Amino acid sequence: MKKATSFSTKGSSTSVGPLKIQRMLPNRYAGQVGPFVFLDYVAPAIKNEITKKGMGAHPHRGIATLTYILQGEVEHFDSAGNGGKIFSGGAQWMKAGNGIIHDENFNYDSQTDSKYIQGFQFWINLPAKNKAEKPEHIAIQANEIPQIALEDESGWLKIIVGNYEGLSSKIPNYAEQFLYHVQLKAGKQFLLEIADKIEVAAFLPTAGAQLNNAEFQKGEFIEFDKNAGEIELRNTFGQPIDIILFGGEAYTEPIVAEGPFVMNTKEEIIGAYHDFYAGKYGEINLTA
């Protein structure tokens, strides 16, 4: 049985430095999809619009951030002394844990001289027991991301987060979660089985697609119901298309979000701000 669509939206537009952002989550219909509480889509920008000054250092607590770059490169800096640079097709995961300050510098891909930058930033909510842990950082290049060929030469599926058919991402799982990048060739389809009570959404960054016999446009975010069922992706476009699928088990603990912090109580939010202003998150040292 095919899963029903709960809603679709094109989110809201904003800017972060020189980048044009489409904020897909949270939206007017939903605050989270499984453990995912935030999604910004970085629309394609040409290289002469990008600076090398970073996006602005800022704190986080209680979440893990995940940057997945389709085109371009992203360099990471944080107050725990971590650093790393990923290129087109790579991902960076940072567990903010009990508090960290970080910055990211988006630029064109120096390895390929690509003229564009395009990608995503997700926030993954941590269980309460993991919010007090020390920060961590993982940089994963494109060739380290598990990829599987789809049947009937239909395309491929990359496992950015979670597991699929025996393959696993390097990104830690604190609950059942997944983030897949599917590319479908023209005229092809792919069927994904979703278990009961698993929340799942799709995003169409490059072209429209048919999801469970309904047509959706480029730039749409689609969430499905929580019943067990199938999601059929069909490419009715004349060229290969990309589809982002993500979600997981529902986050059942209380969620209190304010600014860059996602905690379980208002008191914990107050504590997060207090510790930040007290300098307990440290500072980024670019000379180290």
Side-chain angles (χ1 to χ4, degrees), residues 21-72:
I21 305 296
Q22 204 67 21
R23 184 149 296 164
M24 310 310 304
L25 190 70
N27 56 56
R28 61 184 294 187
Y29 306 104
Q32 65 275 335
V33 179
F36 294 87
V37 293
F38 182 91
L39 168 57
D40 269 357
Y41 169 56
V42 181
I46 59 175
K47 68 181 183 181
N48 62 8
E49 296 174 338
I50 308 301
T51 71
K52 295 185 178 181
K53 298 179 181 179
M55 308 311 296
H58 56 279
H60 285 296
R61 188 166 180 168
I63 59 170
T65 65
L66 173 65
T67 301
Y68 176 45
I69 190 78
L70 298 180
Q71 302 180 79

Side-chain angles (χ1 to χ4, degrees), residues 43-206:
I46 59 175
K47 68 181 183 181
N48 62 8
E49 296 174 338
I50 308 301
T51 71
K52 295 185 178 181
K53 298 179 181 179
M55 308 311 296
H58 56 279
H60 285 296
R61 188 166 180 168
I63 59 170
T65 65
L66 173 65
T67 301
Y68 176 45
I69 190 78
L70 298 180
Q71 302 180 79
E73 67 180 45
V74 183
E75 188 168 11
H76 170 92
F77 315 91
D78 68 44
S79 57
N82 300 308
K85 183 182 289 187
I86 57 170
F87 303 91
S88 299
Q92 293 207 71
W93 175 87
M94 181 193 75
K95 182 172 74 174
N98 59 11
I100 198 169
I101 297 172
H102 83 131
D103 197 0
E104 289 183 310
N105 181 33
F106 287 73
N107 212 331
Y108 64 94
D109 191 331
S110 59
Q111 292 187 336
T112 63
D113 199 29
S114 167
K115 296 181 179 180
Y116 293 92
I117 182 166
Q118 179 187 17
F120 304 89
Q121 183 165 95
F122 295 84
W123 293 3
I124 303 171
N125 199 4
L126 296 173
K129 64 182 181 180
N130 302 110
K131 290 182 183 290
E133 294 176 347
K134 292 182 179 180
E136 297 179 29
H137 173 262
I138 300 173
I140 306 170
Q141 302 302 337
N143 61 3
E144 300 175 291
I145 293 177
Q147 178 174 323
I148 188 168
L150 302 180
E151 293 182 358
D152 192 30
E153 298 183 348
S154 298
W156 47 253
L157 180 149
K158 291 183 179 180
I159 305 157
I160 315 302
V161 174
N163 312 287
Y164 185 79
E165 292 195 355
L167 297 178
S168 300
S169 168
K170 291 183 177 181
I171 292 171
N173 292 320
Y174 296 100
E176 185 173 350
Q177 59 180 8
F178 63 92
L179 169 58
Y180 303 146
H181 177 183
V182 178
Q183 186 170 97
L184 278 181
K185 295 180 181 178
K188 297 294 186 176
Q189 59 276 335
F190 169 65
L191 192 68
L192 183 68
E193 292 279 352
I194 302 294
D196 191 33
K197 299 182 180 178
I198 295 297
E199 301 176 353
V200 58
F203 178 67
L204 306 176
T206 56

